[in-house]
Amino acid sequence: GRKWTYTGPDGELYWDKNFPYCGGVHQSPIDIRSDVVQYDASLQPVELLYYDVSGASMLSLKNNGHSVELSLPSSMCIGGLPYRYSAAQLHLHWGSTMQPWGSEHTINGKRFAAELHIVHFNSDKYADLTTAADKADGLAVLGVFIKVGQFSPAFNRILKHLSSVKFRDQVIQVLPFDIRDLLPEKLNEYYRYDGSLTTPPCYPSVLWTIFRQPVEISSEQLNMLVSKLYCNNFQETVPVMMVDNFRHTKDVNRRRVSASFR
Ligand code: BO1
Ligand code: ZN
């Protein structure tokens, strides 16, 4: 793949030059406007199946140059959607300050400090994430807003390892844990819409579920995210901090944005 960044000549304004889908009309993220969303009584609570992977083998935590990504076993899946979707990885988007600045989706223009994405592929139809990624019904991502508050022991299972994956392509093995502990309590209150990968190649293949309730991490934990990682590899001389790795919101256009709650 060609190189892309969040700022500068390869930044998001120019992604569509090399990745034409990034210029599409059903892109993500979006600003979710509570006065425009439509209540849909048919939306079921999201079922988290086999999300407790604490008995499974070690998980790979990788700096991929754009985010920090935790690999997930495909036994882990979600129900309550039109297909069964198996997990592939989770990762985060964040800002450069301790302010509410770093989430990709916004609610009525309000941005949160960070956002968790748990990426799943349609395992009823496709064998893996790569095969599913460019198919219209290929992916389902769960999005969770993160704000500053209480210390989170669950997020610390990831954050405590950031110093070991400071540079691009570094990978370490981490102990598996119960991924449900990263999610909010209310799994029955969410927004749903059709969108895309928020990074190149921006395939319009994602059924998005954005939980209404944010989760909390402490300011010390957010500071770890904002200060410990680099986008480049350790041999490059000018270090580029991994901050503000979020895409700005895209127009909703003719899409319906539904809510599972009134
Ligand atoms: S996100 O959740 O919309 N931010 C998102 C963005 C990109 C990907 C997954 C979720 N996945 C990418 C992989 C690439 C792969 C590409 C197409 O999908 O990170 O490694 O090449 O398959
Ligand atoms: Zn993401």
Side-chain angles (χ1 to χ4, degrees), residues 61-239:
L61 186 73
K62 178 176 184 175
N63 177 332
N64 63 23
H66 307 293
S67 183
V68 58
E69 183 179 303
L70 186 70
S71 67
L72 297 170
S74 58
S75 53
M76 201 181 129
C77 55
I78 47 176
L81 283 82
Y83 298 96
R84 178 63 61 90
Y85 294 85
S86 288
Q89 49 111 327
L90 65 77
H91 62 268
L92 296 154
H93 301 267
W94 60 90
S96 49
T97 72
M98 295 293 105
Q99 299 310 121
W101 180 258
S103 70
E104 296 213 292
H105 290 87
T106 56
I107 304 274
N108 299 326
K110 178 187 144 79
R111 202 177 287 288
F112 289 80
E115 189 170 325
L116 167 68
H117 289 159
I118 311 183
V119 183
H120 302 73
F121 65 94
N122 180 341
S123 45
D124 283 339
K125 297 183 71 165
Y126 308 109
D128 52 49
L129 176 66
T130 307
T131 311
D134 64 348
K135 310 301 188 297
D137 56 2
L139 305 185
V141 181
L142 303 183
V144 179
F145 292 121
I146 301 173
K147 68 176 196 177
V148 170
Q150 282 275 311
F151 173 84
S152 164
F155 276 92
N156 227 45
R157 303 290 298 244
I158 299 170
L159 300 175
K160 70 178 175 189
H161 296 292
L162 295 185
S163 304
S164 306
V165 291
K166 273 186 165 312
F167 299 103
R168 174 161 54 83
D169 297 333
Q170 288 185 315
V171 187
I172 55 151
Q173 302 303 308
V174 306
L175 284 168
F177 60 100
D178 191 341
I179 305 298
R180 288 176 299 191
D181 295 339
L182 299 174
L183 297 186
E185 251 162 65
K186 289 186 183 156
L187 298 175
N188 59 336
E189 295 191 358
Y190 60 83
Y191 303 98
R192 169 69 49 77
Y193 80 99
D194 273 306
S196 73
L197 298 179
T198 64
T199 68
C202 305
Y203 297 134
S205 60
V206 180
L207 184 59
W208 278 97
T209 301
I210 305 290
F211 291 105
R212 179 193 203 180
Q213 223 182 23
V215 297
E216 296 184 358
I217 62 174
S218 68
S219 56
E220 291 79 10
Q221 289 181 300
L222 179 62
N223 188 53
M224 289 161 81
L225 210 45
V226 165
S227 64
K228 288 214 185 306
L229 300 177
Y230 296 89
C231 295
N232 40 8
N233 128 344
F234 60 90
Q235 298 162 41
E236 294 171 46
T237 46
V238 184

